[in-house]
Structure formats: C-alpha cells, structure tokens
Amino acid sequence: MKKNANEVSRRDFLKSGAIAAGAIAVIGAGTFVLDHEAAKSMPREGFLRPPGAIEEEDFLYGCIKCGLCVQICPVHAIKLAGAHEGLGYGTPYIDPREQACDFSCDALQCVETCPTSVLDFKQFKETGLRAVEAAAAEPGVDMSQVNPFEVQKVAMKNAVKIGKAVVNKHTCLAHAGKPFKGVSRGTDFSGILRSPNDVNSSATPLRDREYDQDICHLCVTECPIGEKAIVQVRNRNGRKLIPRVLDGCTGCGVCEMVCPTEHASIVIEPF
Ligand code: SF4
Ligand code: SF4
Ligand code: SF4
C-alpha cells in the first residue's frame, strides 16, 4: 500500500534520529557507563513527561530539546534524558522520587514556554474555559470579585494527566498497619513542595517538615489535588486504613517524593 508523505518523512526522521543517537552513544562511550548506572535506578518503564505532553511518538518527533521547559520550572522538576536513552536523548522527563511537579508554578509555565507545542495547552483549554463559565453561572456570584485567570489555572492544573499513582501494598507502611514519625526522606534530601493547604505559598524543603502519624498516610496528606486523587479507606476486613488512588490523580508525583519507605511504596506509572 502506498504511504502518504507524512508517514514516509516520519519514518525517515526516526531512522536518522536513531542513527544520530547511536553515533552520540559511540562518541560518548566514556559517559555511557556512568549514565547507564543511573538509568538502572529509574523506578519505572518509560518516561514521565512534563504536563501537556502529546503522544510519545509525536513527542519524540517534535521536541527540539531546547530545554526551555527545564529552565522555567520553579521547582526544577524537569530533567533532560542522558545519551544512553537513544532516540529519547535530550528530551525532558520528570523523576518524581527526586523532585515532583507539585504545581508550584503559576500557569503550567513549562507548557506555556514550549516553542513547538509538544507540551500543549489544548488538553486543558476547554476545561479551563468551562470552569470560568461555571463560576460565572453560580447564583449570586459577582464576577468582578473573581479572578477568571485564577479559576482557569486551578481547573487546568486539576486536568493535568501525566500518569497515575500505584501503591505497592507489599512495602507500604499503612498496609502493614505501621506509623510514621519524623522527616520522611532524611535531612539531606533536597526536594521541595508547596503545602496543599496554602496554594499561594511558595515551595519549601520537604526536610523541614516533621510528621507524626499513627498510621502512615503522608501520600494522602501532601497530595496537592486532595480527595479527588487519593483518600484513606478501610481495607476489606475493616482493620486497616490504607491509601486508595482515585481517577482524579494527575500523576504529579508528590506522593512518590514524600513516601518514607526506602524505595517508594507509591510510584507514578506514565500514561
Ligand atoms: S520546551 Fe518543548 S521543545 Fe523545548 S525541550 Fe521542553 S518539550 Fe522539548
Ligand atoms: S506514604 Fe508511602 S508508606 Fe505511607 S501510606 Fe503512602 S504509600 Fe504507604
Ligand atoms: S495521588 Fe495525589 S500526589 Fe500522588 S500523583 Fe496523584 S495527584 Fe499527585
């Protein structure tokens, strides 16, 4: 069957990209060994892309690896992939165990700054506009007192879907009926986050927060989306309170960052 021009040019592009990545890997063989060690510790299969990322194949095709999304992120959640990643080399990703995308930014700046629209507002625009319309339709609401930009921003952030959190019940403290007291990731940990109860504050170091929970539920406490995303529920026999992830989870990764077990007991699976 005859292929259209787009299909042919895309295949050619992917092929040339793979050859280029291979050449880079050979030239950079010295660093390859070190990067390969780092890659082994990555906790998930596939990249967790920044908010608004379009479908993976098109993302690889369209991202120009400019790094603007990396520079603009106020919590430095976005990194660029190393040479060992082949075709994905130089593309942006998030490792939430090190630093989650906690929505500290004012307006999904990474999406706003992307010059190629491989991080794309289209996914959120309708939701944002509908939220403003819904706010205006509320009985007794004086729209001169409402900041439509703020309404739109909150709605768009809630509509982000990077991935979804998955709990490992074999290592989760709550599933074992255990408490957590102390600093969750140790006093050397550099990750920062904003309080879910004060969305106007700036992000502060996780190491400055001390917890004292009879049954661990740090993931629930710190989730910036709240009860639409994760709740504490009783298990089947009613004896334990455990975290349950709901459809409102955006995949931001704050739960993965704060989880105090040696290897995170809640990890984000990319979409
Ligand atoms: S800003 Fe867009 S094009 Fe630039 S590295 Fe980030 S995703 Fe790629
Ligand atoms: S923070 Fe980690 S250990 Fe604690 S309840 Fe959540 S998943 Fe389990
Ligand atoms: S459960 Fe909450 S903190 Fe965890 S990824 Fe989902 S939205 Fe983020």
Side-chain angles (χ1 to χ4, degrees):
M1 192 200 296
K2 200 176 171 198
K3 304 281 179 200
N4 68 37
N6 272 348
E7 283 172 302
V8 172
S9 64
R10 171 178 297 180
R11 194 183 313 115
D12 287 349
F13 177 88
L14 290 173
K15 206 191 290 174
S16 63
I19 292 166
I24 289 163
V26 169
I27 294 162
T31 55
F32 176 87
V33 177
L34 290 174
D35 285 350
H36 189 67
E37 283 308 306
K40 276 202 273 188
S41 67
M42 288 184 83
R44 60 185 62 71
E45 278 191 28
F47 284 116
L48 194 62
R49 297 297 186 190
I54 59 174
E55 197 270 323
E56 181 67 13
E57 188 185 330
D58 293 333
F59 186 89
L60 284 170
Y61 180 73
C63 173
I64 57 171
K65 307 165 183 181
C66 63
L68 287 174
C69 52
V70 176
Q71 287 177 37
I72 202 92
C73 176
V75 294
H76 308 296
I78 306 174
K79 303 174 184 176
L80 296 180
H84 56 274
E85 296 300 344
L87 196 55
Y89 171 53
T91 58
Y93 73 100
I94 294 173
D95 176 1
R97 187 63 173 159
E98 292 305 313
Q99 178 57 58
C101 159
D102 79 332
F103 307 127
S104 283
C105 56
D106 288 328
L108 296 169
Q109 279 114 312
C110 53
V111 187
E112 207 163 46
T113 199
C114 176
T116 60
S117 295
V118 293
L119 304 180
D120 193 352
F121 264 124
K122 273 194 207 117
Q123 298 173 44
F124 321 116
K125 205 168 125 194
E126 276 304 310
T127 313
L129 292 175
R130 275 200 305 271
V132 176
E133 283 165 13
E138 286 275 322
V141 167
D142 176 2
M143 278 309 276
S144 67
Q145 302 300 312
V146 175
N147 180 348
F149 178 70
E150 195 64 27
V151 173
Q152 195 172 8
K153 183 181 84 180
V154 171
M156 288 197 302
K157 285 182 178 182
N158 285 340
V160 166
K161 290 280 176 202
I162 303 176
K164 190 169 182 187
V166 179
V167 176
N168 180 350
K169 64 182 182 185
H170 301 294
T171 57
C172 169
L173 296 174
H175 277 265
K178 290 187 175 169
F180 180 77
K181 295 183 199 307
V183 178
S184 68
R185 301 287 308 282
T187 50
D188 292 338
F189 184 67
S190 61
I192 56 177
L193 78 167
R194 183 160 65 177
S195 167
N197 301 320
D198 182 4
V199 292
N200 293 317
S201 70
S202 50
T204 55
L206 180 59
R207 61 172 178 262
D208 290 349
R209 300 181 190 206
E210 283 217 35
Y211 302 90
D212 184 355
Q213 298 186 339
D214 292 340
I215 298 293
C216 182
H217 59 284
L218 268 59
C219 48
V220 180
T221 305
E222 297 294 8
C223 173
I225 303 300
E227 61 188 17
K228 285 188 194 150
I230 188 166
V231 288
Q232 258 188 316
V233 294
R234 294 231 163 250
N235 68 345
R236 281 207 195 124
N237 63 23
R239 289 198 194 127
K240 288 177 188 163
L241 275 170
I242 55 172
R244 176 173 294 162
V245 180
L246 305 174
D247 285 345
C249 170
T250 62
C252 72
V254 166
C255 52
E256 182 174 330
M257 182 171 75
V258 303
C259 180
T261 53
E262 186 182 353
H263 300 289
S265 296
I266 184 163
V267 295
I268 313 306
E269 292 298 333
F271 281 134

Short mmCIF file of all heavy atoms in Angstrom, two decimals, residues 97 166-169 171-175 178-180 184 213 215-220 230 232 241-243 255-256 258-261 263-267, ligand 2:
data_model
loop_
_atom_site.label_atom_id
_atom_site.label_comp_id
_atom_site.label_asym_id
_atom_site.label_seq_id
_atom_site.Cartn_x
_atom_site.Cartn_y
_atom_site.Cartn_z
N ARG A 97 10.61 10.92 42.27
CA ARG A 97 11.22 10.49 43.54
C ARG A 97 12.25 11.53 43.98
O ARG A 97 12.49 11.74 45.16
CB ARG A 97 11.88 9.12 43.35
CG ARG A 97 12.42 8.49 44.64
CD ARG A 97 11.33 8.20 45.64
NE ARG A 97 11.79 7.45 46.80
CZ ARG A 97 11.14 7.45 47.96
NH1 ARG A 97 10.02 8.14 48.12
NH2 ARG A 97 11.59 6.74 48.97
N VAL A 166 0.46 4.37 41.76
CA VAL A 166 0.13 2.97 42.06
C VAL A 166 0.81 2.62 43.39
O VAL A 166 2.02 2.85 43.55
CB VAL A 166 0.67 2.03 40.95
CG1 VAL A 166 0.34 0.57 41.27
CG2 VAL A 166 0.08 2.42 39.60
N VAL A 167 0.04 2.05 44.34
CA VAL A 167 0.58 1.71 45.66
C VAL A 167 1.11 0.28 45.65
O VAL A 167 0.47 -0.63 45.12
CB VAL A 167 -0.51 1.84 46.75
CG1 VAL A 167 0.03 1.41 48.11
CG2 VAL A 167 -1.04 3.27 46.80
N ASN A 168 2.31 0.10 46.22
CA ASN A 168 2.86 -1.24 46.41
C ASN A 168 2.47 -1.71 47.81
O ASN A 168 3.08 -1.31 48.80
CB ASN A 168 4.39 -1.20 46.26
CG ASN A 168 5.02 -2.57 46.44
OD1 ASN A 168 4.35 -3.52 46.86
ND2 ASN A 168 6.29 -2.67 46.12
N LYS A 169 1.46 -2.56 47.89
CA LYS A 169 0.94 -2.94 49.20
C LYS A 169 1.91 -3.82 49.98
O LYS A 169 1.76 -3.99 51.19
CB LYS A 169 -0.42 -3.62 49.07
CG LYS A 169 -0.40 -4.92 48.32
CD LYS A 169 -1.81 -5.47 48.22
CE LYS A 169 -1.76 -6.80 47.50
NZ LYS A 169 -3.06 -7.38 47.25
N THR A 171 5.08 -3.12 50.45
CA THR A 171 6.05 -2.31 51.20
C THR A 171 5.42 -1.11 51.89
O THR A 171 6.06 -0.48 52.74
CB THR A 171 7.17 -1.80 50.25
OG1 THR A 171 6.56 -1.05 49.20
CG2 THR A 171 7.98 -2.94 49.66
N CYS A 172 4.18 -0.79 51.55
CA CYS A 172 3.50 0.38 52.13
C CYS A 172 3.31 0.20 53.63
O CYS A 172 2.81 -0.83 54.10
CB CYS A 172 2.15 0.56 51.43
SG CYS A 172 1.08 1.74 52.25
N LEU A 173 3.71 1.21 54.41
CA LEU A 173 3.59 1.16 55.87
C LEU A 173 2.14 1.01 56.31
O LEU A 173 1.82 0.28 57.25
CB LEU A 173 4.19 2.42 56.50
CG LEU A 173 5.70 2.62 56.29
CD1 LEU A 173 6.12 3.97 56.84
CD2 LEU A 173 6.50 1.50 56.94
N ALA A 174 1.24 1.71 55.65
CA ALA A 174 -0.19 1.64 56.03
C ALA A 174 -0.74 0.24 55.86
O ALA A 174 -1.52 -0.24 56.69
CB ALA A 174 -0.99 2.64 55.20
N HIS A 175 -0.34 -0.42 54.80
CA HIS A 175 -0.82 -1.79 54.58
C HIS A 175 -0.30 -2.73 55.67
O HIS A 175 -0.91 -3.77 55.94
CB HIS A 175 -0.39 -2.29 53.20
CG HIS A 175 -1.32 -1.84 52.10
ND1 HIS A 175 -2.35 -2.61 51.63
CD2 HIS A 175 -1.38 -0.67 51.41
CE1 HIS A 175 -3.01 -1.94 50.68
NE2 HIS A 175 -2.43 -0.77 50.53
N LYS A 178 1.45 0.30 60.05
CA LYS A 178 2.56 0.96 60.76
C LYS A 178 2.44 2.49 60.76
O LYS A 178 1.90 3.08 59.82
CB LYS A 178 3.89 0.57 60.13
CG LYS A 178 4.24 -0.89 60.40
CD LYS A 178 5.63 -1.17 59.90
CE LYS A 178 6.02 -2.60 60.27
NZ LYS A 178 7.24 -3.03 59.59
N PRO A 179 3.03 3.12 61.81
CA PRO A 179 3.04 4.59 61.88
C PRO A 179 4.21 5.15 61.09
O PRO A 179 5.08 4.41 60.62
CB PRO A 179 3.28 4.84 63.38
CG PRO A 179 4.13 3.68 63.80
CD PRO A 179 3.70 2.50 62.95
N PHE A 180 4.23 6.48 60.97
CA PHE A 180 5.47 7.15 60.55
C PHE A 180 5.66 8.40 61.37
O PHE A 180 4.76 9.23 61.46
CB PHE A 180 5.50 7.51 59.06
CG PHE A 180 6.80 8.18 58.74
CD1 PHE A 180 7.96 7.42 58.61
CD2 PHE A 180 6.90 9.56 58.68
CE1 PHE A 180 9.19 8.04 58.41
CE2 PHE A 180 8.13 10.17 58.48
CZ PHE A 180 9.27 9.40 58.35
N SER A 184 10.52 12.65 56.38
CA SER A 184 10.24 11.48 55.53
C SER A 184 11.42 10.99 54.70
O SER A 184 11.62 9.80 54.56
CB SER A 184 9.04 11.76 54.63
OG SER A 184 9.37 12.73 53.68
N GLN A 213 2.38 10.39 62.42
CA GLN A 213 1.12 9.76 62.01
C GLN A 213 1.03 8.34 62.58
O GLN A 213 1.94 7.53 62.36
CB GLN A 213 1.03 9.73 60.47
CG GLN A 213 1.03 11.13 59.86
CD GLN A 213 0.79 11.14 58.35
OE1 GLN A 213 1.01 10.13 57.67
NE2 GLN A 213 0.36 12.29 57.84
N ILE A 215 -0.91 5.96 61.73
CA ILE A 215 -0.87 5.10 60.54
C ILE A 215 -0.38 5.99 59.41
O ILE A 215 -0.95 7.05 59.15
CB ILE A 215 -2.28 4.56 60.17
CG1 ILE A 215 -2.84 3.69 61.28
CG2 ILE A 215 -2.23 3.81 58.84
CD1 ILE A 215 -2.10 2.38 61.51
N CYS A 216 0.69 5.57 58.74
CA CYS A 216 1.28 6.42 57.70
C CYS A 216 0.24 6.75 56.62
O CYS A 216 -0.45 5.87 56.10
CB CYS A 216 2.47 5.72 57.05
SG CYS A 216 3.26 6.76 55.80
N HIS A 217 0.15 8.04 56.31
CA HIS A 217 -0.65 8.46 55.15
C HIS A 217 -0.08 9.78 54.61
O HIS A 217 -0.81 10.69 54.24
CB HIS A 217 -2.15 8.60 55.50
CG HIS A 217 -2.45 9.57 56.61
ND1 HIS A 217 -2.22 9.28 57.93
CD2 HIS A 217 -2.98 10.83 56.57
CE1 HIS A 217 -2.60 10.33 58.67
NE2 HIS A 217 -3.05 11.28 57.86
N LEU A 218 1.25 9.84 54.58
CA LEU A 218 1.91 11.04 54.05
C LEU A 218 1.47 11.33 52.63
O LEU A 218 1.32 12.49 52.23
CB LEU A 218 3.43 10.86 54.07
CG LEU A 218 4.20 11.33 55.30
CD1 LEU A 218 3.72 10.62 56.55
CD2 LEU A 218 5.69 11.12 55.11
N CYS A 219 1.28 10.27 51.86
CA CYS A 219 0.89 10.44 50.46
C CYS A 219 -0.46 11.16 50.36
O CYS A 219 -0.67 11.98 49.47
CB CYS A 219 0.82 9.09 49.75
SG CYS A 219 -0.09 7.83 50.66
N VAL A 220 -1.36 10.85 51.30
CA VAL A 220 -2.68 11.48 51.32
C VAL A 220 -2.55 12.92 51.82
O VAL A 220 -3.12 13.86 51.25
CB VAL A 220 -3.66 10.68 52.22
CG1 VAL A 220 -5.03 11.33 52.24
CG2 VAL A 220 -3.74 9.23 51.75
N ILE A 230 -6.62 10.98 46.01
CA ILE A 230 -6.17 9.91 46.91
C ILE A 230 -6.85 10.09 48.27
O ILE A 230 -6.97 11.22 48.76
CB ILE A 230 -4.63 9.88 47.03
CG1 ILE A 230 -4.15 8.64 47.80
CG2 ILE A 230 -4.07 11.15 47.63
CD1 ILE A 230 -2.64 8.38 47.66
N GLN A 232 -7.79 7.98 52.30
CA GLN A 232 -7.56 6.85 53.21
C GLN A 232 -8.87 6.09 53.31
O GLN A 232 -9.92 6.69 53.58
CB GLN A 232 -7.24 7.38 54.61
CG GLN A 232 -5.79 7.36 55.00
CD GLN A 232 -5.64 7.71 56.47
OE1 GLN A 232 -6.27 8.64 56.97
NE2 GLN A 232 -4.80 6.98 57.16
N LEU A 241 -6.32 1.19 57.82
CA LEU A 241 -6.58 2.36 56.98
C LEU A 241 -5.46 2.41 55.94
O LEU A 241 -4.28 2.48 56.29
CB LEU A 241 -6.53 3.63 57.83
CG LEU A 241 -7.83 4.02 58.55
CD1 LEU A 241 -7.56 5.15 59.53
CD2 LEU A 241 -8.91 4.42 57.55
N ILE A 242 -5.84 2.35 54.69
CA ILE A 242 -4.84 2.29 53.62
C ILE A 242 -5.12 3.39 52.58
O ILE A 242 -6.25 3.86 52.46
CB ILE A 242 -4.85 0.91 52.92
CG1 ILE A 242 -6.27 0.59 52.42
CG2 ILE A 242 -4.34 -0.18 53.87
CD1 ILE A 242 -6.35 -0.66 51.55
N PRO A 243 -4.07 3.79 51.81
CA PRO A 243 -4.31 4.81 50.77
C PRO A 243 -4.97 4.18 49.54
O PRO A 243 -4.61 3.06 49.16
CB PRO A 243 -2.90 5.31 50.44
CG PRO A 243 -1.99 4.19 50.80
CD PRO A 243 -2.65 3.41 51.90
N CYS A 255 3.29 12.32 45.98
CA CYS A 255 3.21 11.14 46.88
C CYS A 255 4.47 10.29 46.77
O CYS A 255 4.98 9.81 47.78
CB CYS A 255 1.96 10.32 46.57
SG CYS A 255 1.78 9.89 44.83
N GLU A 256 4.96 10.12 45.55
CA GLU A 256 6.18 9.31 45.37
C GLU A 256 7.38 9.99 46.03
O GLU A 256 8.23 9.33 46.63
CB GLU A 256 6.45 9.08 43.88
CG GLU A 256 7.67 8.20 43.65
CD GLU A 256 7.90 7.84 42.19
OE1 GLU A 256 6.92 7.74 41.42
OE2 GLU A 256 9.07 7.64 41.82
N VAL A 258 7.35 12.04 48.67
CA VAL A 258 7.29 12.12 50.14
C VAL A 258 7.27 10.74 50.82
O VAL A 258 7.55 10.65 52.01
CB VAL A 258 6.08 12.94 50.65
CG1 VAL A 258 6.09 14.34 50.09
CG2 VAL A 258 4.76 12.26 50.36
N CYS A 259 6.94 9.70 50.10
CA CYS A 259 6.80 8.37 50.72
C CYS A 259 8.09 8.00 51.47
O CYS A 259 9.18 8.03 50.90
CB CYS A 259 6.49 7.33 49.67
SG CYS A 259 6.33 5.68 50.38
N PRO A 260 7.99 7.64 52.76
CA PRO A 260 9.19 7.48 53.58
C PRO A 260 9.88 6.11 53.50
O PRO A 260 10.93 5.94 54.11
CB PRO A 260 8.65 7.71 55.00
CG PRO A 260 7.24 7.24 54.94
CD PRO A 260 6.76 7.52 53.56
N THR A 261 9.30 5.14 52.79
CA THR A 261 9.96 3.83 52.74
C THR A 261 11.22 3.91 51.86
O THR A 261 11.34 4.82 51.03
CB THR A 261 9.00 2.74 52.21
OG1 THR A 261 8.45 3.16 50.96
CG2 THR A 261 7.88 2.48 53.20
N HIS A 263 12.48 2.36 49.24
CA HIS A 263 12.08 2.55 47.84
C HIS A 263 10.62 2.96 47.89
O HIS A 263 9.85 2.37 48.66
CB HIS A 263 12.25 1.26 47.04
CG HIS A 263 13.68 0.79 47.03
ND1 HIS A 263 14.65 1.44 46.31
CD2 HIS A 263 14.29 -0.23 47.68
CE1 HIS A 263 15.82 0.83 46.52
NE2 HIS A 263 15.62 -0.18 47.35
N ALA A 264 10.24 3.95 47.12
CA ALA A 264 8.88 4.48 47.23
C ALA A 264 7.84 3.37 47.14
O ALA A 264 7.91 2.50 46.27
CB ALA A 264 8.65 5.50 46.12
N SER A 265 6.87 3.42 48.05
CA SER A 265 5.78 2.44 48.04
C SER A 265 4.61 2.91 47.21
O SER A 265 3.57 2.26 47.16
CB SER A 265 5.32 2.15 49.47
OG SER A 265 6.36 1.55 50.19
N ILE A 266 4.77 4.08 46.61
CA ILE A 266 3.76 4.59 45.67
C ILE A 266 4.55 5.22 44.53
O ILE A 266 5.41 6.06 44.77
CB ILE A 266 2.78 5.56 46.37
CG1 ILE A 266 1.67 6.01 45.44
CG2 ILE A 266 3.48 6.76 47.00
CD1 ILE A 266 0.47 6.63 46.16
N VAL A 267 4.34 4.73 43.32
CA VAL A 267 5.09 5.25 42.18
C VAL A 267 4.14 5.63 41.05
O VAL A 267 3.02 5.13 40.98
CB VAL A 267 6.13 4.22 41.62
CG1 VAL A 267 7.21 3.94 42.64
CG2 VAL A 267 5.46 2.97 41.16
S1 SF4 B 2 3.37 7.49 52.15
FE1 SF4 B 2 4.10 5.52 51.33
S2 SF4 B 2 4.21 4.14 53.09
FE2 SF4 B 2 2.94 5.89 53.70
S3 SF4 B 2 0.85 5.27 53.23
FE3 SF4 B 2 1.55 6.36 51.45
S4 SF4 B 2 2.38 4.74 50.09
FE4 SF4 B 2 2.19 3.85 52.14
#
